[in-house]
Amino acid sequence: MDQPFDLVVIWAGIIGFAVMMYVLMDGFDLGQGILYPFAPDDHSRDIMMNSVAPVWDGNETWLVLGGAGLLAAFPLVYSVFLPALYIGVFLMLAGLIFRGVAFEFRFKANTTKYLWDWAFAGGSFVAAFAQGAVVGAYVQGFETSNFVYVGGALDWLTPFTVITGLGLVAGYALLGSTWLIMKTEGELQQWAYKITPILLIAVLAVFGVVSLYTPFVDQGVLNRWFNGVSIIWLLPILALYCAFLVFRAVKKQQEGMPFVATMGLFLFTYLGLLASKWPYLVPPDYTLWDAASAYESQLFLLLGFLFVIPFVLGYIAWSYYIFRGKVKGGYH
Amino acid sequence: MELDPLILSRIQFAFVVCFHAIFPVFTIGLASFIAVLEALSFKTGNPIWQRLSKFWIQVFAVVFGMGVVSGIVMSFQFGTNWSNFSYATANFLGPVLSYEVVTAFFLEAAFLGVLLFGRDKVPQGVHLFAAIMVALGTFISSFWILAANSLMHTPDGLVLRDGLYYVASWRDSIFNPSFGYRFMHMALASFLTASFVVAGVTAWFIMQKRELEANKKALSISLWLILILAPAQVLVGDFHGLNTLKHQPMKVAAMEGNWETGTGVPLLLFALPDQENQQNLFEIKIPKLASFILTHDWDGEVPGLNEVAPDKQPPVFIVFWAFRVMVAMGMLMVLFGLAGLWLRRGGRYLENRTFLNGLRVMSLSPFIAVLSGWIVTETGRAPWLIYEQMTHAQGLTPSLTGGMALFTLIGYIAVYAMVFSAGVFYLMTVFRGGLETANAEHVDSDVEKAQRPISAANANLEGGL
């Protein structure tokens, strides 16, 4: 490479960051939808929805950034994943549409309010499942030839991706319940304390299945983890430590810690996944460098990002600050 | 029957993009209107500005929500159905769309939350700032997306190597030859859309004698805007047409229904273009007028479709008629602007029921005009995805089958039909509730009893249907 420095790794970091931001932030609000049918009563559902109403569309913007950012920095990912996951992407989008409009419509409906409850719950579940299946499909890899996807429409749908799909549903529900612990009080908060350990156990179960299963479907992953002890073993250990922190914090009825520790659990699991697959971005054939766009395009966008992103993070933080504290009634 | 993924993908893209386009074209203009209302409220302290603003923010919320969710679909369409196109153009398209996200979408999303829910949580000046940021975000967004779209019409500043485009000049590719015209045309279209919707809804309120003081002001503002913007749009549209003539002559030939290059070409008021036989049926024409409009010379030369092979021509019938619908809407808008001016003396525009009813109907006209305008420009580019460089067929996703495309096409139609009918229904509820409901005591407050302010206030409305 004749460029002064390698932007590909920097871009891997930026996209990785955007995806993580999306998972954490839309995770807790998709989680509200997943938990919706099980909420104690209708009043609780109002509060659950209100707790995320001011921020959900900002959260989903990270998904759009992930999509557009991939097209900019790693176009091969965009042009292989989306055709390969064609049906799954449609289901995810349909889910996001229904849950997105439910925010506006539910509060304006009377007799049809229960329909929007179901749209919110069903849409959130389907979107979360589809995203989890994408993670599974990434681990499985894609059938490509000459930089083009050549597999079938439903190749991605396997028992493994169903498990990862359900795993992410449980994970988002966990983010959602710990968010509720932080943002609510009284009966709803007590309910969230009660279900959090159950959700955590479900997440850990999937975590275990995936960890055991992945090395057997992918020789590269097996070698990475079992050819001697390396620093990456710290990642699953830290993830499990975070899970322990969630348990302990719930037991002690702490309010902020469960959410923070759940974010840690997500972060270290995600880093562990990336460590398994590095440097393959479109497995099994293409690495980060194969998938990257032109140097001048990466540079052009990077310069803008360095300038704009601090502002973006600043005013997002500010908008969260405005809506800080416990959610009582509605600001709708 | 063999299902053709190409045709199905084109129908799907046309469908999802048309469905999406109607929301931003309204919200871009409405965001500015709200920002102006908030500014007037801040400056004068007159409570009617805030009454108006609270109502239109409610409308904005519903429409913006539908715009956001249908927009997320758009950002994935390029990859799912047009992966070859995306991959080939990623060096340009990727950065441009990413800039749209970081400079516009986040701005809109973060400040929209404050605009909708933060009135009691931040000082009034900050709330006004949020309104301005949302309006600014909508414009920045249209800047980037129209840069991307314009490049497909008038590619510039790119070099093609081994099937991939590389950006030679960011300035030339972003500010490509048709970008400025398209941006102006679209910006004016957005302002006109908001003006006509505000005018139509307000006319209805005035006929019902509701909140007259505030609604009279809103109608007056929107009619002044229409009077200025509608003729300005005709002018900008003319410049945009001349730009198209220079860069995409076959699109103009299809708009004019002109099969053979010639001088002194007539303007067709009516015709049924027959592409198979390369001629028009039942022409009604004004001699030499097309030449005059396009070249400003009665005997100027106008290109004809015979300059390219029939399989390189756009579908003439669609382009020809969509263009006429757009122009007819534009003319009606100009007429309503002038009528508003004429009726202003003695305040007759507030009394004349024919005029007020006309405004109600006209609130649909900008949407019809915008959609037909986009159909003209997009269909007129066919068979090219990137003008004279890449065809639709070359841009399609190779692994896509007809069955997959049909499945999602039906899926999107079903999903959007449900969402759209619900959206229109709730929008009507907001309209019926009017300024009174939007300003009811408990709206925007954060107290326990107000969990469902809108539904509580509208209980009788939905029940009364």
Side-chain angles (χ1 to χ4, degrees):
Chain A
M1 243 170 260
D2 53 353
Q3 283 88 30
F5 50 92
D6 192 356
L7 296 179
V8 173
V9 177
I10 297 174
W11 270 106
I14 294 174
I15 301 290
F17 175 74
V19 171
M20 193 69 235
M21 285 299 282
Y22 172 72
V23 168
L24 291 179
M25 300 184 81
D26 212 25
F28 73 72
D29 73 51
L30 283 164
Q32 303 311 317
I34 296 162
L35 296 173
Y36 225 53
F38 313 102
D41 54 35
D42 214 37
H43 177 62
S44 306
R45 281 187 263 272
D46 288 342
I47 296 175
M48 286 164 75
M49 193 177 255
N50 278 329
S51 75
V52 293
V55 293
W56 73 271
D57 86 26
N59 296 348
E60 287 191 0
T61 307
W62 289 98
L63 177 66
V64 181
L65 180 63
L70 279 172
L71 180 64
F74 301 104
L76 188 66
V77 178
Y78 190 83
S79 66
V80 169
F81 278 44
L82 293 179
L85 301 162
Y86 189 84
I87 303 291
V89 168
F90 167 74
L91 294 175
M92 178 188 82
L93 293 172
L96 289 177
I97 288 172
F98 277 116
R99 74 178 296 274
V101 296
F103 277 101
E104 284 306 323
F105 294 168
R106 182 176 179 274
F107 288 98
K108 296 182 173 56
N110 292 314
T111 47
T112 57
K113 194 174 165 190
Y114 73 98
L115 283 178
W116 296 112
D117 285 349
W118 283 110
F120 186 58
S124 303
F125 179 89
V126 170
F129 177 82
Q131 288 172 12
V134 171
V135 177
Y138 165 64
V139 173
Q140 285 181 157
F142 300 94
E143 192 182 344
T144 56
S145 159
N146 200 19
F147 298 96
V148 168
Y149 178 69
V150 292
L154 292 174
D155 287 5
W156 57 276
L157 192 63
T158 62
F160 180 66
T161 54
V162 170
I163 290 171
T164 56
L166 292 173
L168 200 62
V169 169
Y172 281 172
L174 179 65
L175 274 170
S177 72
T178 52
W179 167 261
L180 285 177
I181 289 174
M182 186 168 71
K183 293 292 283 186
T184 68
E185 55 200 6
E187 189 197 3
L188 183 59
Q189 189 191 37
Q190 286 310 314
W191 175 73
Y193 275 124
K194 209 169 65 194
I195 59 168
T196 295
I198 303 168
L199 293 168
L200 184 58
I201 288 166
V203 170
L204 290 177
V206 174
F207 184 83
V209 170
V210 172
S211 304
L212 291 175
Y213 186 80
T214 309
F216 293 102
V217 287
D218 188 335
Q219 186 66 32
V221 175
L222 185 69
N223 294 340
R224 168 115 344 130
W225 289 91
F226 294 100
N227 275 358
V229 175
S230 80
I231 187 122
I232 58 173
W233 277 93
L234 266 179
L235 295 169
I237 291 170
L238 285 168
L240 288 173
Y241 179 67
C242 285
F244 164 74
L245 286 179
V246 177
F247 267 122
R248 202 180 59 178
V250 167
K251 211 170 167 195
K252 289 184 179 170
Q253 300 250 319
Q254 290 171 324
E255 296 198 321
M257 192 60 193
F259 186 65
V260 173
T262 303
M263 290 203 291
L265 173 62
F266 265 84
L267 177 67
F268 293 118
T269 309
Y270 174 71
L271 291 176
L273 176 72
L274 294 185
S276 298
K277 286 298 203 181
W278 180 271
Y280 287 95
L281 200 56
V282 186
D285 296 325
Y286 301 112
T287 66
L288 288 171
W289 287 271
D290 300 323
S293 60
Y295 179 80
E296 64 271 17
S297 294
Q298 292 198 335
L299 183 65
F300 175 69
L301 189 57
L302 182 63
L303 295 175
F305 266 38
L306 290 176
F307 180 73
V308 178
I309 290 286
F311 286 99
V312 171
L313 293 174
Y315 61 66
I316 290 175
W318 174 72
S319 77
Y320 272 81
Y321 175 75
I322 288 172
F323 298 105
R324 69 194 178 278
K326 299 285 184 187
V327 184
K328 295 188 177 73
Y331 15 68
H332 227 282
Chain B
M1 192 183 82
E2 190 68 24
L3 289 168
D4 179 6
L6 177 62
I7 293 291
L8 291 168
S9 290
R10 288 184 62 187
I11 295 172
Q12 177 172 310
F13 198 88
F15 176 74
V16 293
V17 80
C18 282
F19 183 88
H20 174 64
I22 56 181
F23 304 115
V25 76
F26 179 30
T27 50
I28 290 167
L30 190 59
S32 295
F33 184 65
I34 289 168
V36 169
L37 293 175
E38 288 291 330
L40 286 169
S41 166
F42 184 71
K43 198 155 177 274
T44 66
N46 186 340
I48 63 162
W49 299 121
Q50 201 178 81
R51 288 187 77 75
L52 283 168
S53 181
K54 279 188 177 175
F55 169 72
W56 286 105
I57 285 174
Q58 297 279 322
V59 175
F60 187 84
V62 175
V63 180
F64 192 82
M66 290 198 282
V68 168
V69 292
S70 59
I72 292 176
V73 172
M74 294 312 305
S75 65
F76 287 92
Q77 282 289 306
F78 305 120
T80 50
N81 293 65
W82 307 97
S83 68
N84 275 0
F85 164 76
S86 310
Y87 192 60
T89 58
N91 285 328
F92 173 76
L93 205 59
V96 167
L97 295 181
S98 299
Y99 268 118
E100 185 183 13
V101 180
V102 294
T103 58
F105 292 167
F106 279 117
L107 199 66
E108 291 171 340
F111 286 100
L112 182 69
V114 179
L115 180 66
L116 291 183
F117 307 116
R119 196 185 287 277
D120 300 329
K121 290 180 182 283
V122 296
Q124 196 187 359
V126 175
H127 193 252
L128 168 63
F129 179 74
I132 294 170
M133 287 300 112
V134 171
L136 181 67
T138 60
F139 269 98
I140 297 174
S141 167
S142 55
F143 171 89
W144 292 110
I145 199 67
L146 290 176
N149 177 266
S150 295
L151 187 105
M152 296 162 70
H153 293 275
T154 51
D156 197 10
L158 302 182
V159 285
L160 187 60
R161 272 201 310 270
D162 305 328
L164 296 181
Y165 286 94
Y166 292 85
V167 179
S169 160
W170 288 102
R171 199 186 59 191
D172 291 350
S173 54
I174 291 171
F175 296 97
N176 57 73
S178 65
F179 169 71
Y181 300 95
R182 204 180 307 277
F183 183 76
M184 281 301 294
H185 203 39
M186 210 45 210
L188 286 175
S190 303
F191 283 137
L192 274 171
T193 305
S195 301
F196 270 101
V197 175
V198 170
V201 173
T202 308
W204 183 63
F205 288 149
I206 288 174
M207 290 170 80
Q208 295 179 326
K209 307 266 183 268
R210 289 168 63 181
E211 295 267 341
L212 282 177
E213 196 196 349
N215 282 321
K216 277 176 183 172
K217 282 208 190 300
L219 186 62
S220 173
I221 293 174
S222 55
L223 286 177
W224 282 123
L225 285 171
I226 290 167
L227 180 67
I228 300 161
L229 295 175
Q233 180 71 315
V234 172
L235 199 65
V236 169
D238 182 54
F239 281 119
H240 192 180
L242 295 180
N243 176 264
T244 307
L245 178 66
K246 187 173 163 198
H247 295 281
Q248 296 177 285
M250 287 311 102
K251 187 190 288 182
V252 173
M255 283 153 67
E256 299 296 345
N258 188 32
W259 295 98
E260 282 173 35
T261 306
T263 56
V265 174
L267 181 77
L268 299 175
L269 296 178
F270 183 92
L272 297 178
D274 172 8
Q275 194 137 11
E276 204 170 317
N277 297 310
Q278 301 277 300
Q279 60 173 3
N280 293 326
L281 305 172
F282 310 112
E283 287 182 356
I284 300 174
K285 55 196 173 188
I286 302 175
K288 298 197 178 192
L289 190 56
S291 278
F292 184 74
I293 292 172
L294 288 166
T295 64
H296 299 178
D297 172 5
W298 293 104
D299 289 308
E301 188 181 272
V302 174
L305 290 152
N306 64 341
E307 290 185 12
V308 296
D311 67 340
K312 293 282 183 286
Q313 295 170 353
V316 179
F317 191 95
I318 297 174
V319 179
F320 180 86
W321 277 107
F323 179 63
R324 268 149 195 72
V325 170
M326 178 187 76
V327 171
M329 290 300 137
M331 294 299 150
L332 274 175
M333 291 180 195
V334 173
L335 277 180
F336 266 84
L338 293 173
L341 181 67
W342 187 63
L343 291 169
R344 202 170 273 272
R345 212 174 37 136
R348 284 172 296 161
Y349 71 106
L350 299 168
E351 308 291 335
N352 188 318
R353 293 187 79 79
T354 315
F355 179 67
L356 293 174
N357 270 320
L359 283 178
R360 286 174 62 190
V361 177
M362 281 300 284
S363 58
L364 293 176
S365 67
F367 298 102
I368 298 170
V370 165
L371 288 185
S372 40
W374 276 106
I375 289 169
V376 170
T377 201
E378 292 295 297
T379 313
R381 196 186 56 223
W384 302 106
L385 196 48
I386 304 172
Y387 194 63
E388 290 187 335
Q389 298 194 13
M390 178 191 282
T391 63
H392 287 118
Q394 290 166 329
L396 191 70
T397 297
S399 60
L400 188 66
T401 63
M404 289 158 75
L406 184 67
F407 173 78
T408 55
L409 174 60
I410 294 171
Y412 281 118
I413 291 174
V415 171
Y416 283 9
M418 279 186 268
V419 169
F420 189 68
S421 46
V424 168
F425 178 82
Y426 292 121
L427 208 51
M428 291 301 151
T429 313
V430 174
F431 288 157
R432 274 194 302 270
L435 276 62
E436 299 87 342
T437 303
N439 285 278
E441 195 59 29
H442 46 258
V443 173
D444 283 318
S445 70
D446 199 359
V447 291
E448 190 72 20
K449 61 176 182 179
Q451 311 122 29
R452 285 167 283 150
I454 311 288
S455 44
N458 285 348
N460 57 338
L461 294 166
E462 214 175 316
L465 279 173

mmCIF file of all heavy atoms in Angstrom, chain A residues 159-187:
data_model
loop_
_atom_site.group_PDB
_atom_site.id
_atom_site.type_symbol
_atom_site.label_atom_id
_atom_site.label_comp_id
_atom_site.label_asym_id
_atom_site.label_seq_id
_atom_site.Cartn_x
_atom_site.Cartn_y
_atom_site.Cartn_z
ATOM 1 N N PRO A 159 -30.372 -23.388 11.938
ATOM 2 C CA PRO A 159 -30.611 -23.459 13.389
ATOM 3 C C PRO A 159 -29.708 -22.506 14.166
ATOM 4 O O PRO A 159 -30.129 -21.890 15.140
ATOM 5 C CB PRO A 159 -30.273 -24.914 13.715
ATOM 6 C CG PRO A 159 -30.511 -25.644 12.445
ATOM 7 C CD PRO A 159 -30.172 -24.701 11.330
ATOM 8 N N PHE A 160 -28.473 -22.360 13.675
ATOM 9 C CA PHE A 160 -27.533 -21.482 14.378
ATOM 10 C C PHE A 160 -28.019 -20.023 14.370
ATOM 11 O O PHE A 160 -27.996 -19.344 15.400
ATOM 12 C CB PHE A 160 -26.150 -21.584 13.710
ATOM 13 C CG PHE A 160 -25.107 -20.710 14.352
ATOM 14 C CD1 PHE A 160 -24.678 -20.969 15.654
ATOM 15 C CD2 PHE A 160 -24.541 -19.641 13.662
ATOM 16 C CE1 PHE A 160 -23.713 -20.162 16.246
ATOM 17 C CE2 PHE A 160 -23.590 -18.832 14.259
ATOM 18 C CZ PHE A 160 -23.172 -19.103 15.552
ATOM 19 N N THR A 161 -28.499 -19.558 13.201
ATOM 20 C CA THR A 161 -28.935 -18.163 13.157
ATOM 21 C C THR A 161 -30.245 -17.963 13.917
ATOM 22 O O THR A 161 -30.501 -16.871 14.424
ATOM 23 C CB THR A 161 -29.099 -17.664 11.705
ATOM 24 O OG1 THR A 161 -29.968 -18.537 11.000
ATOM 25 C CG2 THR A 161 -27.768 -17.595 10.999
ATOM 26 N N VAL A 162 -31.043 -19.024 14.007
ATOM 27 C CA VAL A 162 -32.256 -18.908 14.830
ATOM 28 C C VAL A 162 -31.853 -18.704 16.295
ATOM 29 O O VAL A 162 -32.429 -17.868 17.001
ATOM 30 C CB VAL A 162 -33.155 -20.156 14.671
ATOM 31 C CG1 VAL A 162 -34.271 -20.140 15.711
ATOM 32 C CG2 VAL A 162 -33.738 -20.196 13.263
ATOM 33 N N ILE A 163 -30.823 -19.437 16.713
ATOM 34 C CA ILE A 163 -30.364 -19.294 18.108
ATOM 35 C C ILE A 163 -29.800 -17.894 18.343
ATOM 36 O O ILE A 163 -30.120 -17.235 19.334
ATOM 37 C CB ILE A 163 -29.301 -20.366 18.445
ATOM 38 C CG1 ILE A 163 -29.971 -21.729 18.493
ATOM 39 C CG2 ILE A 163 -28.638 -20.065 19.796
ATOM 40 C CD1 ILE A 163 -28.999 -22.881 18.605
ATOM 41 N N THR A 164 -28.966 -17.413 17.414
ATOM 42 C CA THR A 164 -28.410 -16.074 17.617
ATOM 43 C C THR A 164 -29.520 -15.019 17.558
ATOM 44 O O THR A 164 -29.464 -14.024 18.270
ATOM 45 C CB THR A 164 -27.315 -15.734 16.577
ATOM 46 O OG1 THR A 164 -27.855 -15.879 15.259
ATOM 47 C CG2 THR A 164 -26.108 -16.629 16.732
ATOM 48 N N GLY A 165 -30.518 -15.279 16.714
ATOM 49 C CA GLY A 165 -31.647 -14.350 16.644
ATOM 50 C C GLY A 165 -32.375 -14.273 17.973
ATOM 51 O O GLY A 165 -32.614 -13.179 18.511
ATOM 52 N N LEU A 166 -32.710 -15.441 18.521
ATOM 53 C CA LEU A 166 -33.398 -15.454 19.818
ATOM 54 C C LEU A 166 -32.499 -14.886 20.912
ATOM 55 O O LEU A 166 -32.963 -14.232 21.845
ATOM 56 C CB LEU A 166 -33.831 -16.880 20.172
ATOM 57 C CG LEU A 166 -34.931 -17.445 19.264
ATOM 58 C CD1 LEU A 166 -35.181 -18.925 19.588
ATOM 59 C CD2 LEU A 166 -36.217 -16.642 19.396
ATOM 60 N N GLY A 167 -31.173 -15.145 20.774
ATOM 61 C CA GLY A 167 -30.221 -14.623 21.751
ATOM 62 C C GLY A 167 -30.262 -13.101 21.801
ATOM 63 O O GLY A 167 -30.272 -12.503 22.882
ATOM 64 N N LEU A 168 -30.325 -12.481 20.621
ATOM 65 C CA LEU A 168 -30.336 -11.020 20.630
ATOM 66 C C LEU A 168 -31.677 -10.488 21.143
ATOM 67 O O LEU A 168 -31.727 -9.438 21.784
ATOM 68 C CB LEU A 168 -30.025 -10.451 19.235
ATOM 69 C CG LEU A 168 -29.558 -8.999 19.264
ATOM 70 C CD1 LEU A 168 -28.254 -8.854 20.035
ATOM 71 C CD2 LEU A 168 -29.388 -8.418 17.866
ATOM 72 N N VAL A 169 -32.757 -11.238 20.873
ATOM 73 C CA VAL A 169 -34.056 -10.844 21.438
ATOM 74 C C VAL A 169 -33.951 -10.807 22.969
ATOM 75 O O VAL A 169 -34.352 -9.827 23.608
ATOM 76 C CB VAL A 169 -35.176 -11.822 20.992
ATOM 77 C CG1 VAL A 169 -36.456 -11.563 21.784
ATOM 78 C CG2 VAL A 169 -35.432 -11.682 19.490
ATOM 79 N N ALA A 170 -33.361 -11.870 23.531
ATOM 80 C CA ALA A 170 -33.199 -11.906 24.994
ATOM 81 C C ALA A 170 -32.271 -10.784 25.455
ATOM 82 O O ALA A 170 -32.501 -10.142 26.487
ATOM 83 C CB ALA A 170 -32.654 -13.265 25.422
ATOM 84 N N GLY A 171 -31.208 -10.547 24.677
ATOM 85 C CA GLY A 171 -30.242 -9.505 25.043
ATOM 86 C C GLY A 171 -30.865 -8.123 25.053
ATOM 87 O O GLY A 171 -30.664 -7.338 25.984
ATOM 88 N N TYR A 172 -31.634 -7.832 24.025
ATOM 89 C CA TYR A 172 -32.298 -6.526 23.966
ATOM 90 C C TYR A 172 -33.330 -6.400 25.091
ATOM 91 O O TYR A 172 -33.503 -5.325 25.672
ATOM 92 C CB TYR A 172 -32.984 -6.329 22.607
ATOM 93 C CG TYR A 172 -32.054 -5.943 21.476
ATOM 94 C CD1 TYR A 172 -32.515 -5.898 20.159
ATOM 95 C CD2 TYR A 172 -30.720 -5.618 21.702
ATOM 96 C CE1 TYR A 172 -31.677 -5.538 19.101
ATOM 97 C CE2 TYR A 172 -29.875 -5.257 20.655
ATOM 98 C CZ TYR A 172 -30.361 -5.219 19.362
ATOM 99 O OH TYR A 172 -29.540 -4.862 18.320
ATOM 100 N N ALA A 173 -34.016 -7.500 25.380
ATOM 101 C CA ALA A 173 -34.975 -7.458 26.483
ATOM 102 C C ALA A 173 -34.260 -7.153 27.799
ATOM 103 O O ALA A 173 -34.757 -6.399 28.646
ATOM 104 C CB ALA A 173 -35.726 -8.789 26.580
ATOM 105 N N LEU A 174 -33.044 -7.705 27.934
ATOM 106 C CA LEU A 174 -32.254 -7.450 29.145
ATOM 107 C C LEU A 174 -31.845 -5.973 29.219
ATOM 108 O O LEU A 174 -31.943 -5.340 30.278
ATOM 109 C CB LEU A 174 -31.020 -8.353 29.148
ATOM 110 C CG LEU A 174 -30.061 -8.198 30.336
ATOM 111 C CD1 LEU A 174 -30.738 -8.613 31.636
ATOM 112 C CD2 LEU A 174 -28.804 -9.027 30.120
ATOM 113 N N LEU A 175 -31.389 -5.432 28.087
ATOM 114 C CA LEU A 175 -31.075 -3.995 28.067
ATOM 115 C C LEU A 175 -32.322 -3.184 28.426
ATOM 116 O O LEU A 175 -32.257 -2.198 29.151
ATOM 117 C CB LEU A 175 -30.590 -3.581 26.670
ATOM 118 C CG LEU A 175 -29.113 -3.739 26.338
ATOM 119 C CD1 LEU A 175 -28.885 -3.503 24.848
ATOM 120 C CD2 LEU A 175 -28.260 -2.772 27.143
ATOM 121 N N GLY A 176 -33.465 -3.635 27.886
ATOM 122 C CA GLY A 176 -34.722 -2.940 28.145
ATOM 123 C C GLY A 176 -35.117 -2.989 29.613
ATOM 124 O O GLY A 176 -35.543 -1.979 30.188
ATOM 125 N N SER A 177 -34.962 -4.159 30.243
ATOM 126 C CA SER A 177 -35.412 -4.267 31.639
ATOM 127 C C SER A 177 -34.478 -3.491 32.570
ATOM 128 O O SER A 177 -34.928 -2.866 33.533
ATOM 129 C CB SER A 177 -35.513 -5.737 32.062
ATOM 130 O OG SER A 177 -34.229 -6.303 32.207
ATOM 131 N N THR A 178 -33.161 -3.498 32.254
ATOM 132 C CA THR A 178 -32.252 -2.746 33.127
ATOM 133 C C THR A 178 -32.421 -1.237 32.907
ATOM 134 O O THR A 178 -32.242 -0.443 33.833
ATOM 135 C CB THR A 178 -30.782 -3.162 32.896
ATOM 136 O OG1 THR A 178 -30.480 -3.090 31.498
ATOM 137 C CG2 THR A 178 -30.533 -4.567 33.385
ATOM 138 N N TRP A 179 -32.790 -0.856 31.688
ATOM 139 C CA TRP A 179 -33.138 0.556 31.409
ATOM 140 C C TRP A 179 -34.325 0.975 32.275
ATOM 141 O O TRP A 179 -34.347 2.060 32.861
ATOM 142 C CB TRP A 179 -33.458 0.706 29.924
ATOM 143 C CG TRP A 179 -34.126 1.982 29.510
ATOM 144 C CD1 TRP A 179 -35.463 2.154 29.295
ATOM 145 C CD2 TRP A 179 -33.518 3.255 29.241
ATOM 146 N NE1 TRP A 179 -35.723 3.445 28.901
ATOM 147 C CE2 TRP A 179 -34.550 4.151 28.860
ATOM 148 C CE3 TRP A 179 -32.210 3.729 29.282
ATOM 149 C CZ2 TRP A 179 -34.299 5.481 28.518
ATOM 150 C CZ3 TRP A 179 -31.968 5.053 28.942
ATOM 151 C CH2 TRP A 179 -33.004 5.917 28.572
ATOM 152 N N LEU A 180 -35.319 0.079 32.374
ATOM 153 C CA LEU A 180 -36.501 0.396 33.175
ATOM 154 C C LEU A 180 -36.153 0.539 34.653
ATOM 155 O O LEU A 180 -36.708 1.386 35.354
ATOM 156 C CB LEU A 180 -37.574 -0.676 32.999
ATOM 157 C CG LEU A 180 -38.332 -0.642 31.668
ATOM 158 C CD1 LEU A 180 -39.309 -1.812 31.592
ATOM 159 C CD2 LEU A 180 -39.066 0.680 31.486
ATOM 160 N N ILE A 181 -35.225 -0.310 35.106
ATOM 161 C CA ILE A 181 -34.793 -0.189 36.507
ATOM 162 C C ILE A 181 -34.254 1.214 36.764
ATOM 163 O O ILE A 181 -34.533 1.852 37.779
ATOM 164 C CB ILE A 181 -33.709 -1.251 36.836
ATOM 165 C CG1 ILE A 181 -34.333 -2.644 36.873
ATOM 166 C CG2 ILE A 181 -33.007 -0.927 38.161
ATOM 167 C CD1 ILE A 181 -33.347 -3.766 37.032
ATOM 168 N N MET A 182 -33.493 1.699 35.775
ATOM 169 C CA MET A 182 -32.869 3.007 35.927
ATOM 170 C C MET A 182 -33.873 4.150 35.790
ATOM 171 O O MET A 182 -33.804 5.149 36.488
ATOM 172 C CB MET A 182 -31.761 3.156 34.873
ATOM 173 C CG MET A 182 -30.921 4.402 34.984
ATOM 174 S SD MET A 182 -29.461 4.284 33.929
ATOM 175 C CE MET A 182 -30.179 4.410 32.303
ATOM 176 N N LYS A 183 -34.828 3.998 34.868
ATOM 177 C CA LYS A 183 -35.670 5.133 34.490
ATOM 178 C C LYS A 183 -37.039 5.168 35.157
ATOM 179 O O LYS A 183 -37.786 6.115 34.949
ATOM 180 C CB LYS A 183 -35.871 5.139 32.967
ATOM 181 C CG LYS A 183 -34.619 5.413 32.168
ATOM 182 C CD LYS A 183 -34.098 6.853 32.351
ATOM 183 C CE LYS A 183 -34.911 7.860 31.563
ATOM 184 N NZ LYS A 183 -34.309 9.205 31.645
ATOM 185 N N THR A 184 -37.411 4.127 35.878
ATOM 186 C CA THR A 184 -38.752 4.132 36.453
ATOM 187 C C THR A 184 -38.683 3.858 37.950
ATOM 188 O O THR A 184 -37.608 3.654 38.520
ATOM 189 C CB THR A 184 -39.665 3.072 35.795
ATOM 190 O OG1 THR A 184 -39.187 1.771 36.149
ATOM 191 C CG2 THR A 184 -39.686 3.225 34.286
ATOM 192 N N GLU A 185 -39.854 3.819 38.566
ATOM 193 C CA GLU A 185 -39.904 3.548 40.004
ATOM 194 C C GLU A 185 -41.185 2.781 40.309
ATOM 195 O O GLU A 185 -42.004 2.556 39.426
ATOM 196 C CB GLU A 185 -39.831 4.867 40.787
ATOM 197 C CG GLU A 185 -40.896 5.846 40.356
ATOM 198 C CD GLU A 185 -40.565 7.291 40.753
ATOM 199 O OE1 GLU A 185 -39.476 7.551 41.265
ATOM 200 O OE2 GLU A 185 -41.426 8.147 40.542
ATOM 201 N N GLY A 186 -41.306 2.394 41.555
ATOM 202 C CA GLY A 186 -42.544 1.755 41.993
ATOM 203 C C GLY A 186 -42.738 0.366 41.390
ATOM 204 O O GLY A 186 -41.789 -0.398 41.211
ATOM 205 N N GLU A 187 -43.984 0.087 41.058
ATOM 206 C CA GLU A 187 -44.376 -1.259 40.622
ATOM 207 C C GLU A 187 -43.615 -1.715 39.379
ATOM 208 O O GLU A 187 -43.133 -2.849 39.304
ATOM 209 C CB GLU A 187 -45.888 -1.247 40.338
ATOM 210 C CG GLU A 187 -46.467 -2.607 40.099
ATOM 211 C CD GLU A 187 -47.839 -2.520 39.427
ATOM 212 O OE1 GLU A 187 -48.291 -1.399 39.116
ATOM 213 O OE2 GLU A 187 -48.437 -3.575 39.199
#
